[in-house]
Amino acid sequence: MSVFTLSQAEREKHLLPQLAELTAHHRENSEGYERILSSLGIARDASFASIADLPWLPVRMFKTHDLRSIPESEIFKTLTSSGTTGEGASRIYLDKAAAGAQTKQLGATLQEVLGNERLPMLMVDTIGIIKNRRSFSARGAGVLGMANFGRKHTYVLDENDQPDVEAVKTFLANYGDKPFLIFGFTFMVWQYLYEVAREHELDLSNGILIHSGGWKKLIDRAVDNTEFRRRFKADTGLTRIHNYYGMIEQIGTVFLEGPSGNSLYCPDFADIVIRNPETWEEQPVGEPGVIEVVSTLPHSYPGHVLLTEDLGVYNGIDDGDWPGKHFSVMGRLPKAEARGCSDTFQGAAA
Amino acid sequence: MSLNQRFPLSDAIEVDKLVEELRAEPVGGRLRVGDPRVVEFLTKFARKLLAPATARRFPELASLGFFLRKGEIAKALSTLETSGDALRFPRGLVFHVPPANVDTIFVYSWALSALAGNHNVVRVSSRSAGAAETVLEALNAALSEVDAETAAAITATQRMVTYDRSDAISGALSVAADLRVIWGGDASVAALRKYPLAPHARDLTFPDRSSFAVASVRGWQNASEAERRGAAEGFYNDSYWFDQAACSSPRAVFWVGDEAGAREAGQEFRKLLAEVLATKQHVTEPAMAVQKRVSAYGAAVDGLVSGIEFQGNGIATLELADPAILPREWLGAGTFANARVDTLSDLVPIVLRKDQTVGQFGFSKEELTQFVTELAGRGVDRVVPFGSALTFSAIWDGYDLLTEFSRLVTVQA
């Protein structure tokens, strides 16, 4: 059952009523969310003409406030993300149903490129990242969440964060002649898998790579997505590469890079709106703006329509590998800095 | 661990050597209160700041230049004249720690202290931006335009330095000082207070403050079109110059008068303010626009506001649910809490010690004096018309700075 099937028109028709209902549901069950919408003068019985008309919350709200649509007694899991420095972490509350739905939908999304069976899996990380179950980093949570989709997990890094070439060679000897799954964060995949594979002439041609995370460190090395794909193909034979874009505030929803590369697609239960940062109107194809992520999954907290702090651009609509809008992420908005009397520099102190 | 000497421009120096030099008596004799050598140097420096090219680039430096003109200095010094048995003298060595980001405060603080005849060491932020750099250039240039003896006296007694975090340096300057002046908020004050002062010395502190504006509904109704426009322009300068993060910038606006009048006046005022933003081609960065929404929505979640209105990215108005609960923290450039009260007296119980500046429009001096009298010292250090919130004065945060920077000696025969 593919979740990459809906054209943009079908998506509007299919998702808008669900999203409007979710908006009403969260108004009913989250006092904070209700206060925001009523302060903005959005009537309780407001109707929305399109997905882009739905009211959005800045994603950072979940760092500054507890927003949930379930009573405390029903909290099954609290996800926390490490925020950027100086800010709190996001706190996302899931009940049992929401936790189940996010795992299920993430699975359905990845099935598109992995198929139905769990594949042997190379983790481009260290097992240490998931050892301390009491305090998870976002990276640890990502690794653990993804581990469910594979079997025979082999970690590429040893306990000292050094590449374990022998372990990778053994894994490839055992499973390398059939499809296998590789997961990791973009920068680590580059530094620890690509460079090791090139040096040791490893054959990754049966691999399916799922990766995510910022490009900042790679751009510093003059590696963009196109270059990343080209070099992997040329030096390791790996061609099935899927970057994804997602965030803890919309856990379970990932926007996945299509087979031909360089564009991210929305699963059928999600959508994207690129907004002009001056007018907040939707941008046409090719005009960069701020990314808004839309998903029907967030039921236990009002995170169904979120304005991110990332910049992106539509590459096209209904004209790519899969139906719907497809887009690229271009980077982050710079942080808003204030010059103020009580702003002292680090070190004024001493 | 040495300090860089930015003014007078010179080689790096060890802290003990610096203190020793600053302790020495300058050629031409000790500095006195209102010392002509200092006055001469300051007026030369002021002229540089008022040069058209500089004033155009940094309007805040023009204000500073104006503040240091000969006539203004004479006016300030005249407040120090003593009578009877008292004579006024400098305190000695003053150590100034200004904020990192308001580029001109360190100059006001230093200049008044120098006028009082003190030897000064000012720690300038190494992160200092354009305006601060221009100030340092102007100071160094002015030094070559005064006579040799004056230059020698200024060089011996006045230093602006930068140094990286160092307990040793901050500690040595603190213990050597007769007065320590700390700007830059609560965190700075707490950090600097870790370093002991000499037993006779004390701190002059400028902690975190916040400010609000009041506008008379009747005053607005009686104002001419030009006056209303002027109010919006003044308010723009008060609020947007430092991204509304200066302690003197208003974070809330209280309309004082009847409900219908307040609503109408407020709407017209915001319309005029939006026009000022358009005229000034004010740009709100996308990150700032998002920040403002995070703050505004957060205030809604906290139950502080009953309505939120955005006029583009430039102006966000948060209608307070209860005028008594106003946000005092920074909410993002161009984010104003808005509320109505019947009379100024209604604001009295709301005021805290932390409240510094009240920007006002449309009130008479009597009404404002009555208001301040009713406050009875619970808070508020200055009431100024719209447009003057950021104008520095020799009386600041309730202190008469020249008085603070000097001491009295009494003589009875």
Side-chain angles (χ1 to χ4, degrees):
Chain A
M1 221 6 233
S2 172
V3 290
F4 290 95
T5 64
L6 295 178
S7 72
Q8 202 52 40
E10 289 166 334
R11 204 173 289 257
E12 281 282 347
K13 202 170 99 200
H14 183 70
L15 294 186
L16 182 58
Q18 292 182 55
L19 292 161
E21 202 174 310
L22 263 179
T23 301
H25 161 80
H26 291 309
R27 288 189 84 155
E28 199 58 49
N29 294 286
S30 164
E31 191 183 11
Y33 183 72
E34 164 57 24
R35 283 173 171 174
I36 294 170
L37 266 54
S38 64
S39 294
L40 291 167
I42 299 168
R44 279 246 183 194
D45 57 357
S47 61
F48 305 101
S50 70
I51 290 173
D53 282 350
L54 292 160
W56 43 262
L57 293 192
V59 71
R60 210 171 349 129
M61 294 303 303
F62 293 93
K63 288 190 167 72
T64 59
H65 290 80
D66 271 337
L67 294 165
R68 53 182 160 87
S69 309
I70 46 173
E72 196 159 355
S73 58
E74 282 177 35
I75 297 174
F76 170 68
K77 211 188 236 175
T78 304
L79 303 168
T80 54
S81 75
S82 53
T84 43
T85 44
E87 279 198 299
S90 284
R91 292 175 305 278
I92 303 297
Y93 298 94
L94 302 177
D95 58 7
K96 261 207 158 75
Q102 66 97 3
T103 309
K104 180 169 164 283
Q105 295 298 357
L106 179 60
T109 305
L110 293 173
Q111 221 173 66
E112 186 72 28
V113 297
L114 298 180
N116 290 338
E117 57 174 310
R118 290 186 3 174
L119 301 172
M121 186 170 187
L122 262 187
M123 300 285 223
V124 189
D125 214 313
T126 164
I127 193 151
I129 201 80
I130 58 164
K131 274 225 163 132
N132 182 359
R133 296 233 167 180
R134 274 184 318 135
S135 76
F136 264 162
S137 62
R139 209 172 100 201
V143 167
L144 201 70
M146 210 47 89
N148 294 325
F149 301 106
R151 59 188 175 92
K152 308 282 181 197
H153 304 95
T154 294
Y155 286 83
V156 173
L157 300 182
D158 65 19
E159 298 269 352
N160 304 319
D161 290 352
Q162 292 305 311
D164 187 345
V165 182
E166 285 316 306
V168 178
K169 281 183 172 168
T170 305
F171 176 92
L172 290 173
N174 290 336
Y175 310 110
D177 56 348
K178 287 208 185 83
F180 61 94
L181 170 57
I182 310 169
F183 172 74
F185 289 92
T186 307
F187 178 71
M188 297 181 68
V189 167
W190 186 253
Q191 186 163 8
Y192 298 117
L193 183 67
Y194 168 77
E195 293 189 357
V196 168
R198 190 191 55 186
E199 187 184 342
H200 295 272
E201 297 180 342
L202 302 178
D203 174 11
L204 303 178
S205 58
N206 279 317
I208 303 166
L209 169 63
I210 306 283
H211 70 106
S212 179
W215 288 92
K216 200 179 158 305
K217 286 181 181 163
L218 284 177
I219 297 295
D220 294 344
R221 301 182 177 205
V223 176
D224 62 5
N225 197 38
T226 305
E227 180 68 3
F228 182 93
R229 298 176 71 90
R230 189 186 70 76
R231 298 263 293 271
F232 256 114
K233 182 179 175 180
D235 296 332
T236 73
L238 180 67
T239 56
R240 296 167 71 186
I241 298 177
H242 299 276
N243 186 17
Y244 73 85
Y245 173 66
M247 60 205 64
I248 202 156
E249 294 84 356
Q250 251 182 26
I251 186 88
T253 305
V254 299
F255 299 88
L256 194 63
E257 187 177 20
S260 47
N262 288 325
S263 213
L264 299 157
Y265 292 81
C266 313
D268 288 346
F269 50 88
D271 200 9
I272 201 98
V273 180
I274 305 283
R275 292 194 180 274
N276 175 321
E278 282 292 321
T279 63
W280 301 104
E281 297 297 315
E282 189 170 11
Q283 292 284 52
V285 170
E287 288 288 331
V290 184
I291 300 175
E292 173 189 309
V293 290
V294 180
S295 168
T296 59
L297 294 190
H299 210 269
S300 56
Y301 63 99
H304 55 311
V305 188
L306 296 177
L307 187 86
T308 70
E309 298 193 3
D310 296 311
L311 291 166
V313 63
Y314 294 138
N315 297 319
I317 301 174
D318 293 333
D319 59 358
D321 296 344
W322 298 319
K325 294 171 178 172
H326 55 109
F327 67 102
S328 291
V329 179
M330 302 165 72
R332 285 189 74 74
L333 282 180
K335 215 173 137 43
E337 296 264 7
R339 314 189 286 165
C341 307
S342 52
D343 174 275
T344 51
F345 56 106
Q346 279 300 310
Chain B
M1 186 72 179
S2 57
L3 306 88
N4 294 319
Q5 304 199 76
R6 306 293 306 279
F7 166 77
L9 206 52
S10 180
D11 296 340
I13 189 169
E14 295 299 315
V15 69
D16 295 345
K17 181 90 175 68
L18 176 69
V19 169
E20 186 189 327
E21 288 183 12
L22 281 166
R23 284 245 176 265
E25 184 166 317
V27 282
R30 294 177 73 93
L31 294 184
R32 296 187 312 273
V33 174
D35 198 290
R37 292 167 291 180
V38 174
V39 174
E40 190 201 344
F41 178 73
L42 286 178
T43 47
K44 283 275 192 302
F45 167 57
R47 233 169 272 166
K48 299 234 166 291
L49 299 179
L50 290 165
T54 307
R56 254 201 313 277
R57 239 179 100 211
F58 301 110
E60 66 260 47
L61 294 189
S63 315
L64 176 61
F66 184 84
F67 182 83
L68 295 173
R69 290 182 320 164
K70 213 173 187 122
E72 296 295 311
I73 289 175
K75 227 187 309 181
L77 288 172
S78 70
T79 63
L80 288 182
E81 282 160 22
T82 53
S83 58
D85 296 337
L87 300 162
R88 195 178 285 279
F89 292 96
R91 280 191 174 271
L93 177 59
V94 182
F95 174 31
H96 303 256
V97 187
N101 276 356
V102 179
D103 296 332
T104 50
I105 286 270
F106 76 92
V107 195
Y108 287 104
S109 183
W110 161 77
L112 289 167
S113 179
L115 269 180
N118 293 301
H119 296 207
N120 293 289
V121 57
V122 183
R123 182 184 185 185
V124 181
S125 162
S126 37
R127 273 198 348 211
S128 61
E133 292 301 308
T134 305
V135 161
L136 291 166
E137 280 166 28
L139 283 166
N140 282 303
L143 204 55
S144 59
E145 290 183 19
V146 291
D147 65 70
E149 193 173 311
T150 300
I154 297 294
T155 303
T157 58
Q158 311 299 323
R159 303 294 171 87
M160 301 207 179
V161 298
T162 59
Y163 58 90
D164 291 333
R165 250 192 126 108
S166 158
D167 285 339
I169 296 178
S170 294
L173 294 176
S174 294
V175 80
D178 298 291
L179 176 71
R180 184 169 58 186
V181 185
I182 309 172
W183 302 81
D186 297 357
S188 272
V189 173
L192 263 297
R193 280 201 169 146
K194 294 202 304 262
Y195 306 108
L197 292 168
H200 71 275
R202 62 185 184 80
D203 277 326
L204 183 58
T205 59
F206 298 91
D208 287 333
R209 310 302 303 276
S210 71
S211 299
F212 60 86
V214 294
S216 160
V217 172
R218 206 185 49 238
W220 182 266
Q221 288 163 346
N222 293 339
S224 68
E225 183 63 27
E227 284 167 332
R228 294 178 188 184
R229 210 168 284 284
E233 263 172 43
F235 188 84
Y236 170 88
N237 293 338
D238 289 348
S239 308
Y240 287 84
W241 226 359
F242 290 109
D243 285 340
Q244 219 187 330
C247 355
S248 316
S249 295
R251 306 228 165 122
V253 182
F254 293 101
W255 289 90
V256 182
D258 69 285
E259 197 152 341
R263 197 172 23 250
E264 199 180 325
Q267 276 165 352
E268 192 193 354
F269 171 69
R270 289 191 290 276
K271 186 171 112 348
L272 290 172
L273 182 61
E275 285 171 18
V276 175
L277 263 70
T279 308
K280 306 249 181 205
Q281 297 178 337
H282 180 83
V283 175
T284 306
E285 294 297 332
M288 185 66 83
V290 173
Q291 163 68 40
K292 289 167 74 166
R293 280 174 167 79
V294 172
S295 300
Y297 294 4
V301 175
D302 296 337
L304 299 180
V305 308
S306 57
I308 301 172
E309 193 194 337
F310 294 100
Q311 288 164 280
N313 283 341
I315 306 172
T317 306
L318 315 186
E319 202 57 49
L320 290 180
D322 174 356
I325 306 171
L326 64 146
R328 285 182 164 85
E329 71 280 15
W330 179 78
L331 298 175
T335 308
F336 305 98
N338 196 69
R340 186 199 67 84
V341 290
D342 287 327
T343 65
L344 281 176
S345 303
D346 296 338
L347 293 172
V348 170
I350 297 171
V351 167
L352 302 177
R353 179 68 181 83
K354 189 177 177 171
D355 294 325
Q356 181 210 54
T357 300
V358 174
Q360 69 85 23
F361 178 78
F363 291 97
S364 68
K365 178 112 189 214
E366 289 69 33
E367 288 172 304
L368 296 167
T369 306
Q370 173 63 29
F371 172 54
V372 168
T373 308
E374 276 182 60
L375 284 173
R378 78 171 61 218
V380 177
D381 296 314
R382 55 201 284 261
V383 180
V384 295
F386 280 16
S388 298
L390 300 177
T391 305
F392 193 80
S393 120
I395 297 175
W396 197 258
D397 274 12
Y399 296 114
D400 180 340
L401 293 175
L402 280 169
T403 303
E404 296 295 325
F405 289 143
S406 56
R407 61 193 189 87
L408 293 171
V409 176
T410 55
V411 182
Q412 289 176 307

